[in-house]
Amino acid sequence: MSLRSALRTHTADCHAAVDTLFGSFNLSRIQDYKAFLRAHARVVPSVEQALEEAGIARLLPDWQERRRAHLLAADIRELDDRLPVPVPQPALRCDAAVWGAAYVLEGSKLGGALLARAVPDHLPSSYLSPKGPKGAMRLFMDRLDGSNVGDPAAAIAAARDVFELFLKAGQLTLEAVS
């Protein structure tokens, strides 16, 4: 089983829970959209920083073009909202864990592109519709599949941990706005 298939199979429940939770935000309402962005801003900068400290650029040379925390922060500032305190960084102690965490962030771009359609045109949405390199997702999946990690369980655990960070951040944000 490829690493991509293992990650998809063993994180499907987490992925579904995150999709359901973030799907409950009405992105056409400015308050919901701000809350959605704040929830993501609790997680994305921490995960990106952890990936960088663990050497993602060595595994994914176009990493700098893939980063989105700065886009997220810009959208939040443009909405005259505040950046939240980020969650603690996940521990990424091996290349397998780096691939697992990156899998979640890269995959979130696909979901973001779908969600961006619900955001009114007058609101900033650079985070949900980043202008990355052409073919970036296919390149990522090819590199993921060719990574030959020795411990797919570490990749799966890291991916599940990142999904859990998104889930907790989304739940906390929803509780705060309810």
Side-chain angles (χ1 to χ4, degrees), residues 61-126:
D62 63 350
W63 167 250
Q64 288 303 317
E65 297 173 72
R66 294 172 180 274
R67 297 178 74 243
R68 294 184 298 154
H70 64 289
L71 300 173
L72 181 54
D75 285 351
I76 289 171
R77 281 192 296 273
E78 192 171 331
L79 291 167
D80 291 323
D81 203 4
R82 59 180 168 61
L83 287 169
V85 175
V87 299
Q89 291 180 21
L92 305 176
R93 293 187 174 93
C94 63
D95 286 353
V98 171
W99 282 114
Y103 169 84
V104 178
L105 286 190
E106 287 297 303
S108 73
K109 291 177 183 176
L110 295 175
L114 295 173
L115 293 172
R117 297 179 194 161
V119 177
D121 290 340
H122 67 280
L123 296 178
S125 62
S126 60

Side-chain angles (χ1 to χ4, degrees), residues 22 39 42-43 87 164-174:
F22 282 100
R42 291 178 59 85
V43 178
V87 299
E164 187 64 26
L165 290 175
F166 275 106
L167 194 58
K168 286 180 180 174
Q171 290 166 337
L172 287 171
T173 302
L174 276 176

Side-chain angles (χ1 to χ4, degrees), residues 1-8 60 99 103 137-149:
M1 178 183 287
S2 70
L3 184 55
R4 177 190 345 185
S5 295
L7 284 163
R8 186 182 309 122
L60 204 56
W99 282 114
Y103 169 84
M137 184 55 72
R138 182 176 347 157
L139 177 63
F140 175 79
M141 292 302 178
D142 288 347
R143 288 184 182 266
L144 178 69
D145 286 341
S147 64
N148 296 319
V149 299

Side-chain angles (χ1 to χ4, degrees), residues 26-35 38 79 120 122-123:
N26 179 351
L27 301 185
S28 66
R29 291 184 50 230
I30 193 163
Q31 293 306 342
D32 276 19
Y33 184 49
K34 286 180 175 182
R38 280 194 309 272
L79 291 167
H122 67 280
L123 296 178

Side-chain angles (χ1 to χ4, degrees), residues 12-25 107-108 111 115 163 167:
D13 60 329
C14 299
H15 193 170
V18 168
D19 283 352
T20 298
L21 177 71
F22 282 100
S24 69
F25 288 84
S108 73
L115 293 172
F163 275 122
L167 194 58

